[in-house]
Amino acid sequence: MVKAYLRYEPASSFGVIASVDSNISYDSSGKHLLSPALEKIAVWHVRQGISTKTLTPSVPCRGPSLAVTSIASSPSVLIAGGYGDGSIRIWDSDKGTCETTLNGHKGAVTALRYNKLGSLLASGSKDNDVILWDVVGETGLFRLRGHRDQVTDVVFVGSGKKLVSSSKDKFLRVWDIDTQHCMQIVGGHHSEIWTLDVDPAERFLVTGSADKELRFYAIKQDSVDGESVKDGDDSSISNKWDVLTHFGEIQRQSKDRVATVQFNKSGNLLACHVAGKMVEIFLVLDDAEAKRKAKRRVNRKKEKKHGKEATEGTENGDGNIENKGESSTVTDGPIETNKITVTVPDVFKLLHTIRASKKICSISFCPITPKNSLATLALSLNNNLIEFYSIESAETKKTLAIDLQGHRSDVRSVTLSSDNSFLLSTSHNAVKIWNPSTGSCLRTIDSGYGLCSLIVPTNKYGLVGTKDGTLEIIDIGSGTRVEVAEAHGGSVRTIAALPEKHGFVTGSADHEVKFWEYQITQKPGQATKQLTVSNVRTMRMNDDVLVVAISPDAKYIAVALLDSTVKIHFVDSLKFFLSLYGHKLPVLCMDISSDGDLIVTGSADKNIKIWGLDFGDCHKSIFAHADSVMAVQFVPKTHYVFSVGKDRVVKYWDADKFEQLLTLEGHHADIWCLAVSNRGDFIVTGSHDRSIRRWDRTEEQFFIEEEKEKRLEEMFDGDLDNAYENKYVPKEEIPEEGAVAVAGKKTQETLTATDLIIERLDIAENEKKRIAEHQEEEKNNKKAVFQPNPLMIGRSPSDYVLSAFKDVHSNDLEQTLMALPFTDALKLLSYLKEWTSYSDKVELVCRIGTLLLQTHYNQLLSTPAARPVLIAFSDIFYERVKGWKDIFGFNLAAMDHIQQLMASRSDALFQDARSKLREIRAQQSKRLQDRSDTGEVVMRKKKKKT
């Protein structure tokens, strides 16, 4: 009989406050901060310092490929998250649900930016492309190509009509969204451009690179007033079509490259964060203040010049003092107002410098301005920490820090209590007590560099072995460190509990294995009795001790040494019993089964070996991981084994059949430690990515052969994709200057959807033929019973084909239809007229018709059979779209009228949110009209040709 096993699946992960791969961002309300937590987006309540919700993708985590790489918040409740696999997910922050997934990039998403209305989203990626997305329609508009290296940042300018992108290719590009072309390329940077931003008034654009200065550009306004840059001013703009004009530079204090530049919402502050520990805060003066400052500067220079001339006794006449003063500060692009040159130092003034304790990963200004300060700035540090600073005119001070919910460095050991009610984890400077069910941190205790840990059987105390050779006793109830005992002369590498529960064993790099006993004593000056430990025996080994294991019957002790061997001794007499040798590199972990029959060892040679403890024979050697095996542990009362390694995966084995059962992926870095519950219903792992993950046993059964087939299919698909890309897919040439391409990309989902549409078209065509034959038989007075196709579940052929589009995502529709052969596309066009009768499918029909006409335009022109299909469709296509456009217009006018009535009855005007909604609705109506116009143009050309 085939044996069935119970599946383990990811249940939860905790311990990550802010990962280093992405930026942080406030939401539109300013009450919550969004931070990347590996594959999740954590939503933190700033005042309470707690995580209110986490936005987790529904797809299984495959490690770093699904890590969050960019975050952007819209003016509404929507949040955009970019991921390492090139996908973009739009989240509803209130509901905590994923609204849509946008697939278009082939590399990790590096930049995201909403326009002011929140209706458009621009994204940049490592694939060198910029894609503009329609958030309302949940689809990609177009792809902009031209950059020769990774896109680092994007920003909307010109009231959202233009887009500026920066790249590692040292160039800025200005794109016109309406015409979809690159209208300006800005050079001048000597190194990669890492970031850019524009102030809310769209006066200046600032860029940051590895250069010593920040570069500023004046933005040409569409409506030119007296103070803005004039189109015909040749001294300030060399080309009347240029949007950006070089304004000047400011020298930075730090020598590190710029990581982020960001204006606050009011535009009076500019933060420059470098790839180090420093943030420079600049005060941005308004036009009036900048003019006064420039005027004072010019007057001082005049006075200095005249004083110098007077002392030298020379008379030179009226020299161009202003231009000389200007050339000493900026070399290019000043703004002249009333014959006074305003330069960059006149507008931007260094206000404060913030120095953090660790390297800063990202910054974000709070959109809400506090009453007693200029702004609030949030910093995410590379040690899993978020700090908040209040920026005032005189000083900056740290007001809050989110630090309790995670370790400052990687998790080196995890240990479960005997009743599985809490979890103890160690790191380089702290011990944390967690609730493994909820993931909440219960206690944080300062400690040394903990390498191993153990919870005393009473669950009241914890023991931590440190890198300094000490044993720390932790009182779990009070969250204090009771005692620090000098245990070894080297680092304590391992702690193993004795089965009698009266003591434990430690192993150290000083070649010693020590036996300890628990004692409850009351020291002088203490009110209560405390746990202490005393060394009762010591066993000297020939090399560094890496790990120790005790058999369940307390008969044997196994000691793994640095010489790649495992020595087994009797516990009572400490006499030598067996030596297990066979590993090529040191054994880093081992465990003994509950019945004492098997011992499993994991090594740095990537293998695990299963030994018999009675004779020391090696039952099986398995190549288990792609890197060092860091921890192995038996499930209690079974011969099932879990192993973890530096290859970031958890593997589940049957030690009797020597078969791999499961591979669990999820961690983003090396896995250091593992703990299995005493019932085997869940396991906990700790990693270098600072996360602690819990994996639960489910009631779902699986079989070894099925899992083998799945793994072989995944390997085959991966190899096939790589072989196809390397052999058959031509390498992409360098795109033409300002090239435009389709926004989406071909995925497994789009190919599956195309296959489904083709299959249903064939079934529907056969069904139509059968219906026609049946009707013909009825005309001939033949009594025949018609049996409909059971696959259609009582639906008509038209509805059956339409149901194929039910699960096709709006963003994938274009790629799905592009993969259709022309014959199937022609069949699909014949159904569109009938589908227009469904009021809720008008937009879908418009999109399908427009995409098919654009894709197969030349074939349709040369195919006579397509003429009746297009004529039948065109008769009703424009009429339906125009009808819905009129309905939208009527509803918008009615809402405007209702808004005016309510505003007239109330003192509080609320036009902001409703005006945004009106503009978004207008864009929807315009999109429908554009598709209608496109279809009409194609059809008119078709009629002329035919």
Side-chain angles (χ1 to χ4, degrees):
M1 185 175 177
V2 180
K3 187 175 182 179
Y5 301 86
L6 294 180
R7 186 180 299 277
Y8 284 81
E9 290 184 349
S12 63
S13 66
F14 48 91
V16 180
I17 298 173
S19 51
V20 300
D21 296 327
S22 174
N23 63 301
I24 59 173
S25 177
Y26 275 93
D27 67 350
S28 56
S29 66
K31 296 179 181 179
H32 298 91
L33 182 73
L34 313 172
S35 71
L38 302 178
E39 75 276 7
K40 301 180 181 180
I41 298 177
V43 182
W44 297 92
H45 193 285
V46 176
R47 287 189 178 180
Q48 298 177 3
I50 60 173
S51 177
T52 57
K53 62 174 69 73
T54 55
L55 310 178
T56 309
S58 57
V59 297
C61 179
R62 297 291 183 181
S65 64
L66 201 62
V68 178
T69 55
S70 184
I71 299 174
S73 58
S74 71
S76 62
V77 297
L78 296 182
I79 297 167
Y83 294 81
D85 60 355
S87 63
I88 300 171
R89 288 173 174 81
I90 308 298
W91 301 88
D92 188 315
S93 60
D94 289 345
K95 301 177 183 177
T97 57
C98 180
E99 297 295 314
T100 183
T101 301
L102 307 174
N103 292 308
H105 288 292
K106 297 178 182 178
V109 179
T110 54
L112 288 174
R113 186 89 62 153
Y114 278 97
N115 65 347
K116 290 185 178 179
L117 293 177
S119 59
L120 296 179
L121 175 68
S123 63
S125 169
K126 287 185 177 180
D127 60 7
N128 309 347
D129 294 344
V130 178
I131 298 181
L132 196 68
W133 306 91
D134 181 359
V135 179
V136 181
E138 299 180 357
T139 184
L141 298 178
F142 47 83
R143 182 190 303 264
L144 302 172
R145 288 178 168 173
H147 284 295
R148 301 292 191 266
D149 207 339
Q150 170 185 328
V151 178
T152 55
D153 210 347
V154 289
V155 67
F156 287 92
V157 297
S159 302
K161 296 180 179 179
K162 297 176 180 62
L163 183 70
V164 183
S165 60
S166 63
S167 171
K168 285 186 177 182
D169 61 6
K170 307 177 186 179
F171 290 103
L172 294 174
R173 285 180 178 265
V174 183
W175 309 87
D176 191 302
I177 294 177
D178 293 333
T179 59
Q180 303 176 15
H181 80 284
C182 179
M183 57 186 304
Q184 185 183 359
I185 302 175
V186 181
H189 291 84
H190 304 295
S191 58
E192 297 95 341
I193 307 173
W194 288 96
T195 178
L196 59 87
D197 198 16
V198 62
D199 67 319
E202 295 189 0
R203 294 187 302 160
F204 305 107
L205 182 139
V206 57
T207 63
S209 65
D211 300 343
K212 295 181 180 179
E213 62 276 336
L214 289 177
R215 290 179 180 267
F216 292 85
Y217 296 88
I219 301 175
K220 177 184 175 182
Q221 305 292 337
D222 291 336
S223 58
V224 180
D225 54 16
E227 296 181 352
S228 60
V229 180
K230 297 181 180 179
D231 291 349
D233 191 357
D234 295 332
S235 63
S236 60
I237 290 186
S238 58
N239 187 343
K240 67 177 182 178
W241 302 110
D242 287 350
V243 177
L244 301 179
T245 311
H246 187 244
F247 180 36
E249 299 96 3
I250 285 185
Q251 295 292 325
R252 299 188 291 111
Q253 293 185 342
S254 175
K255 295 181 180 179
D256 298 324
R257 71 167 179 86
V258 178
T260 311
V261 291
Q262 186 177 356
F263 286 93
N264 66 338
K265 189 172 183 179
S266 59
N268 62 339
L269 292 177
L270 170 66
C272 172
H273 145 230
V274 300
K277 302 179 181 180
M278 191 167 69
V279 178
E280 298 176 21
I281 307 295
F282 294 90
L283 182 64
V284 183
L285 304 179
D286 57 16
D287 292 338
E289 288 289 335
K291 287 179 190 176
R292 285 195 288 269
K293 188 174 179 182
K295 190 173 181 181
R296 290 195 299 268
R297 173 177 54 80
V298 170
N299 290 337
R300 286 197 301 270
K301 289 185 180 293
K302 284 182 179 180
E303 292 173 0
K304 185 177 179 181
K305 179 70 175 177
H306 292 323
K308 185 176 180 181
E309 290 177 353
T311 54
E312 293 177 355
T314 58
E315 296 181 0
N316 297 328
D318 292 335
N320 192 354
I321 300 174
E322 296 177 7
N323 291 336
K324 293 180 182 179
E326 171 195 336
S327 62
S328 64
T329 308
V330 230
T331 59
D332 190 14
I335 297 178
E336 296 185 2
T337 55
N338 300 330
K339 298 182 180 180
I340 296 178
T341 304
V342 177
T343 60
V344 174
D346 296 331
V347 182
F348 297 91
K349 174 186 175 183
L350 181 63
L351 184 65
H352 297 298
T353 299
I354 300 175
R355 286 181 171 82
S357 57
K358 292 291 183 179
K359 185 178 178 181
I360 303 171
C361 295
S362 177
I363 62 173
S364 180
F365 273 112
C366 179
I368 307 301
T369 303
K371 294 182 180 179
N372 301 324
S373 61
L374 297 175
T376 300
L377 184 67
L379 311 179
S380 69
L381 308 184
N382 71 343
N383 64 341
N384 200 25
L385 177 66
I386 297 177
E387 294 181 343
F388 298 88
Y389 286 83
S390 175
I391 302 173
E392 302 174 0
S393 301
E395 61 176 354
T396 60
K397 56 183 179 181
K398 185 168 72 172
T399 57
L400 181 66
I402 300 175
D403 57 352
L404 296 179
Q405 296 298 322
H407 283 288
R408 301 284 76 77
S409 67
D410 48 346
V411 181
R412 295 308 300 260
S413 72
V414 289
T415 307
L416 284 165
S417 61
S418 59
D419 57 358
N420 302 327
S421 60
F422 57 86
L423 172 76
L424 184 146
S425 64
T426 65
S427 183
H428 82 292
N429 65 349
V431 173
K432 287 184 178 288
I433 310 298
W434 307 84
N435 183 336
S437 300
T438 62
S440 58
C441 182
L442 307 177
R443 300 281 189 275
T444 300
I445 306 106
D446 293 335
S447 73
Y449 198 132
L451 298 177
C452 52
S453 57
L454 175 69
I455 295 178
V456 176
T458 59
N459 294 336
K460 294 182 179 180
Y461 296 94
L463 300 172
V464 178
T466 67
K467 198 173 184 178
D468 298 332
T470 60
L471 268 178
E472 299 183 352
I473 302 176
I474 305 297
D475 188 331
I476 295 175
S478 63
T480 58
R481 184 169 54 181
V482 176
E483 184 182 356
V484 178
E486 294 294 333
H488 289 275
S491 57
V492 181
R493 301 275 180 83
T494 177
I495 297 179
L498 290 171
E500 296 88 351
K501 301 182 179 180
H502 60 74
F504 61 95
V505 181
T506 60
S508 170
D510 62 358
H511 301 189
E512 288 184 347
V513 175
K514 291 188 177 182
F515 292 76
W516 305 79
E517 284 187 353
Y518 304 124
Q519 294 179 351
I520 301 296
T521 60
Q522 183 174 359
K523 294 183 179 180
Q526 289 183 345
T528 59
K529 293 182 178 180
Q530 298 289 352
L531 176 73
T532 60
V533 295
S534 61
N535 182 21
V536 292
R537 284 192 297 173
T538 301
M539 181 169 63
R540 184 76 181 176
M541 307 303 293
N542 296 327
D543 211 333
D544 292 7
V545 178
L546 299 181
V547 62
V548 171
I550 308 291
S551 63
D553 56 1
K555 184 177 180 181
Y556 303 113
I557 177 172
V559 182
L561 303 178
L562 194 62
D563 61 4
S564 307
T565 63
V566 177
K567 308 294 184 184
I568 299 178
H569 295 254
F570 292 99
V571 173
D572 51 2
S573 62
L574 301 183
K575 288 184 178 180
F576 176 76
F577 174 54
L578 289 173
S579 179
L580 309 180
Y581 56 90
H583 283 290
K584 298 178 181 179
L585 290 174
V587 174
L588 303 177
C589 52
M590 63 182 174
D591 192 27
I592 299 175
S593 61
S594 300
D595 55 8
D597 292 341
L598 299 178
I599 178 172
V600 60
T601 58
S603 168
D605 61 9
K606 310 174 188 177
N607 294 320
I608 62 172
K609 291 181 182 291
I610 301 168
W611 316 76
L613 198 56
D614 47 1
F615 300 108
D617 55 324
C618 180
H619 293 182
K620 188 69 173 178
S621 179
I622 304 173
F623 182 75
H625 290 266
D627 209 330
S628 301
V629 183
M630 300 306 298
V632 291
Q633 191 168 345
F634 278 100
V635 177
K637 300 179 182 179
T638 68
H639 283 181
Y640 304 148
V641 183
F642 280 99
S643 66
V644 300
K646 288 186 176 181
D647 58 355
R648 307 171 181 173
V649 297
V650 182
K651 293 193 176 182
Y652 187 34
W653 308 87
D654 187 333
D656 290 332
K657 295 186 177 181
F658 317 123
E659 292 281 0
Q660 178 182 344
L661 304 180
L662 290 175
T663 299
L664 305 176
E665 294 179 314
H667 279 289
H668 294 237
D670 307 348
I671 305 177
W672 291 114
C673 48
L674 164 72
V676 181
S677 68
N678 54 13
R679 294 188 299 271
D681 54 344
F682 71 91
I683 67 168
V684 177
T685 55
S687 170
H688 184 72
D689 60 14
R690 302 185 178 93
S691 71
I692 300 173
R693 293 180 184 265
R694 171 175 166 154
W695 318 78
D696 282 359
R697 185 175 63 199
T698 64
E699 296 301 321
E700 179 186 355
Q701 292 184 344
F702 69 94
F703 302 96
I704 293 179
E705 294 301 324
E706 290 181 357
E707 290 300 315
K708 279 185 179 179
E709 289 178 4
K710 285 182 182 179
R711 287 195 292 270
L712 288 174
E713 285 178 4
E714 290 177 359
M715 291 174 60
F716 178 74
D717 292 340
D719 295 340
L720 193 64
D721 293 340
N722 294 333
Y724 179 79
E725 291 177 0
N726 296 333
K727 188 174 181 180
Y728 299 104
V729 177
K731 293 184 178 180
E732 290 190 6
E733 299 178 356
I734 296 177
E736 296 180 5
E737 191 61 45
V740 180
V742 178
K745 72 173 181 179
K746 190 179 295 184
T747 61
Q748 188 65 39
E749 289 78 11
T750 61
L751 295 177
T752 304
T754 303
D755 292 339
L756 180 63
I757 293 171
I758 294 173
E759 178 188 352
R760 296 203 173 183
L761 282 171
D762 293 338
I763 294 175
E765 287 298 313
N766 293 332
E767 188 70 6
K768 288 170 70 176
K769 288 179 182 178
R770 292 180 63 240
I771 293 173
E773 291 174 357
H774 176 69
Q775 292 174 351
E776 188 67 26
E777 290 177 356
E778 286 184 340
K779 287 181 182 179
N780 296 332
N781 297 322
K782 292 182 180 180
K783 296 182 179 180
V785 179
F786 180 74
Q787 294 291 338
N789 192 332
L791 293 175
M792 302 181 67
I793 321 176
R795 290 175 289 193
S796 66
S798 175
D799 292 343
Y800 184 64
V801 176
L802 180 60
S803 64
F805 292 91
K806 182 179 65 174
D807 296 328
V808 179
H809 193 273
S810 178
N811 179 51
D812 296 333
L813 183 62
E814 187 170 9
Q815 290 291 334
T816 301
L817 295 177
M818 286 178 66
L820 276 178
F822 175 67
T823 54
D824 293 304
L826 199 56
K827 293 178 186 177
L828 191 59
L829 281 171
S830 64
Y831 290 99
L832 295 185
K833 181 180 178 181
E834 189 173 347
W835 291 349
T836 53
S837 60
Y838 299 109
S839 59
D840 59 334
K841 302 296 182 183
V842 172
E843 184 174 358
L844 175 64
V845 173
C846 291
R847 287 198 64 197
I848 293 174
T850 304
L851 290 172
L852 290 177
L853 290 172
Q854 290 174 341
T855 305
H856 302 286
Y857 176 74
N858 293 327
Q859 292 94 326
L860 288 170
L861 287 179
S862 58
T863 306
R867 183 178 182 182
V869 176
L870 294 177
I871 291 175
F873 180 49
S874 63
D875 291 340
I876 199 170
F877 180 78
Y878 185 74
E879 177 186 347
R880 296 288 186 188
V881 174
K882 187 176 183 302
W884 276 102
K885 183 185 174 186
D886 294 340
I887 292 175
F888 284 153
F890 181 82
N891 291 340
L892 287 172
M895 285 192 292
D896 287 339
H897 179 65
I898 294 172
Q899 178 185 348
Q900 292 173 5
L901 288 177
M902 296 182 69
S904 63
R905 297 171 186 172
S906 174
D907 296 334
L909 298 178
F910 54 94
Q911 68 272 15
D912 292 340
R914 296 189 178 274
S915 62
K916 289 181 181 179
L917 178 63
R918 187 171 61 253
E919 292 180 9
I920 292 175
R921 298 280 188 188
Q923 287 186 359
Q924 282 183 324
S925 178
K926 182 177 181 297
R927 189 170 64 252
L928 276 173
Q929 180 63 31
D930 291 343
R931 288 173 185 155
S932 173
D933 294 342
T934 304
E936 281 294 310
V937 169
V938 174
M939 289 174 187
R940 286 171 186 167
K941 290 183 179 179
K942 168 68 181 172
K943 288 180 180 179
K944 288 182 180 180
K945 291 281 184 180
T946 54

